[in-house]
Amino acid sequence: MPVTDVAIDKIKDMIISGELAPGDRLPKEAELAQRLGLSRSSLREAVKALCLIRVLDVRQGDGTYVTSLEPNLLLDAMTFVVDFHRDDTVLDFLAVRRILEPAATAMAALHMSDADVAELAELLGELADAPTVEALVANDLEFHRKIADGSGNPVLCSLLDSLSGPTARARIWRGLTQEGAVARTREQHAAIHEAIANREPELARSWATVHIAGVEQWLRSTLAPATAEP
């Protein structure tokens, strides 16, 4: 195993064991390197790597700290990875979203506060009669973000947020090329909101599945001609 990986594992073990807790400051570099039996250079590389995935935070002139380790912070690194997807893998991301988002929507029907449900209705009303594709996608992203947040599960919310990049592109393509996409999106969003407002989790789950599957089905049929054998 590369020396840097060994250093990463040793710091990870300190955190998992509770020796280092969220918000704790790491011992000084020389002291920590000696304690872990590492060279200072390998320790330094390990710290850099753990900073990239938001496990550690180097504060100039103050030291290195363990972050809060909150799910939204740690899963932010996943967004970075997702951004490197290829267009032919966007269907895989949509398939994952089709599994997760209906579950989040059903949970939101049970846990979302009345005030947040009212805000969801206001968001639907903010969309103009003939919105631009950009405005439609922005409204759509915020609509689904509020529902994911309303699920009450921060890990699920962060996972769905990290999937928004490639799936947002699919929505843009759909808005540009598919006739009736705006009206369909409005209708489905209204149905999802109504199910949540009426506290009907299974109905909310069904509408969310229909909504996401529609984007996936359209994109699958759009990509098929391009990938077909000549």
Side-chain angles (χ1 to χ4, degrees):
M1 184 184 292
V3 178
T4 301
D5 289 351
V6 172
I8 290 172
D9 281 347
K10 289 189 174 184
I11 296 173
K12 176 184 172 183
D13 288 342
M14 291 177 72
I15 296 171
I16 292 174
S17 69
E19 186 177 350
L20 287 172
D24 281 356
R25 179 178 174 176
L26 271 65
K28 291 183 178 179
E29 185 181 274
E31 178 189 340
L32 186 58
Q34 184 177 23
R35 185 194 303 183
L36 298 179
L38 301 167
S39 68
R40 293 178 69 170
S41 61
S42 62
L43 178 60
R44 210 170 290 133
E45 290 303 313
V47 168
K48 286 180 183 177
L50 290 169
C51 283
L52 284 174
I53 59 172
R54 306 296 184 87
V55 172
L56 297 179
D57 177 31
V58 175
R59 302 176 190 174
Q60 198 66 35
D62 188 15
T64 301
Y65 290 80
V66 180
T67 66
S68 66
L69 303 180
E70 291 291 330
N72 64 319
L73 189 66
L74 297 180
L75 289 170
D76 190 50
M78 182 177 167
T79 304
F80 180 80
V81 174
V82 167
D83 284 342
F84 283 99
H85 84 287
R86 302 184 310 275
D87 288 345
D88 60 351
T89 61
V90 72
L91 283 169
D92 295 329
F93 287 105
L94 277 168
V96 173
R97 187 170 161 242
R98 178 165 43 83
I99 294 168
L100 297 178
E101 191 150 333
T105 307
M107 291 167 69
L110 296 173
H111 302 296
M112 208 170 189
S113 70
D114 291 341
D116 287 340
V117 173
E119 284 185 12
L120 206 59
E122 289 177 11
L123 185 66
L124 293 178
E126 289 174 4
L127 205 60
D129 291 337
T132 64
V133 172
E134 291 78 9
L136 177 66
V137 171
N139 188 274
D140 187 41
L141 285 169
E142 182 63 10
F143 179 80
H144 290 287
R145 187 198 65 75
K146 282 183 177 295
I147 291 174
D149 189 52
S151 72
N153 187 315
V155 175
L156 183 56
C157 184
S158 295
L159 282 170
L160 286 169
D161 189 53
S162 69
L163 294 172
S164 293
T167 54
R169 286 185 65 184
R171 290 192 207 106
I172 290 173
W173 300 339
R174 188 187 195 200
L176 287 171
T177 61
Q178 190 180 52
E179 195 172 329
V182 175
R184 194 172 300 109
T185 297
R186 283 181 182 276
E187 290 168 4
Q188 291 171 356
H189 278 189
I192 290 169
H193 168 263
E194 184 176 358
I196 292 174
N198 290 334
R199 307 302 180 184
E200 297 182 89
E202 292 311 311
L203 185 58
R205 186 196 303 272
S206 297
W207 272 114
T209 302
V210 168
H211 181 52
I212 297 156
V215 179
E216 185 183 354
Q217 182 180 23
W218 166 79
L219 185 59
R220 195 178 295 280
S221 64
T222 300
L223 292 178
T227 56
E229 292 289 337

